[in-house]
Amino acid sequence: MQEALDLARKAAEEDEVPVGAIVVHGDRIVGRGYNRRETDHNPVAHAEILAIQEAARALGSWRLEGCTIYVTLEPCPMCLAACMLSRVEKVVYGATDPKGGALSLDYALNADPRLNHRFPVEYAPLAECGQVLSDFFRKKRG
């Protein structure tokens, strides 16, 4: 999670909402991403999406079986769906997102029996994950 947090801080330095994500396969990081929506003028350039794309290239497959995604903020519905579509094994996040997080909004796509891939999502609270977001928005509001 520390690597994801470092990526979130990098996003903040670039005036992006500070969210970072890594994809781990075995004991190796195969994908990294941080929010780049403003920089790339791309509404789907979320940390998880970018980390998933990099991991798929690194592994030579869109199927990220055996991979865990660590992300500093609870995934939104789009990102949780991307995790499902990429067949990740598990998602771990460090801060909740009551206004945009898939689980907080009751969109538990990861556990929906109607879908063909289910996986655990674990909340592993890490104060620094929430703090980097609070600091960013406090600075934005002036």
Side-chain angles (χ1 to χ4, degrees):
M1 189 63 83
Q2 191 59 50
E3 177 81 19
L5 192 53
D6 291 344
L7 291 165
R9 290 187 179 109
K10 183 173 182 175
E13 290 170 10
E14 295 179 16
D15 205 29
E16 295 277 358
V17 174
V19 178
I22 61 168
V23 178
V24 176
H25 184 259
D27 61 354
R28 180 171 70 110
I29 296 174
V30 294
R32 292 173 175 83
Y34 59 91
N35 276 358
R36 294 185 47 89
R37 293 189 315 165
E38 301 298 332
T39 302
D40 294 351
H41 308 291
N42 182 349
V44 298
H46 288 205
E48 300 95 322
I49 300 294
L50 299 175
I52 286 168
Q53 289 174 334
E54 186 174 288
R57 283 190 298 272
L59 296 173
S61 175
W62 62 268
R63 290 179 187 89
L64 301 184
E65 294 163 346
C67 290
T68 299
I69 296 179
Y70 294 89
V71 60
T72 57
L73 183 64
E74 177 184 352
C76 72
M78 173 186 70
C79 289
L80 196 59
C83 292
M84 186 268 302
L85 291 170
S86 63
R87 310 296 196 266
V88 300
E89 184 173 301
K90 183 178 182 180
V91 173
V92 179
Y93 65 97
T96 60
D97 185 0
K99 295 181 180 179
L103 299 176
S104 292
L105 297 172
D106 291 328
Y107 293 118
L109 299 170
N110 61 296
D112 190 326
R114 296 171 298 174
L115 299 174
N116 65 343
H117 178 67
R118 287 171 291 289
F119 55 96
V121 176
E122 179 183 322
Y123 174 45
L126 182 59
E128 290 173 273
C129 291
Q131 191 62 52
V132 71
L133 285 156
S134 295
D135 292 348
F136 176 81
F137 286 113
R138 189 175 302 110
K139 183 178 175 184
K140 283 295 226 188
R141 286 190 286 271

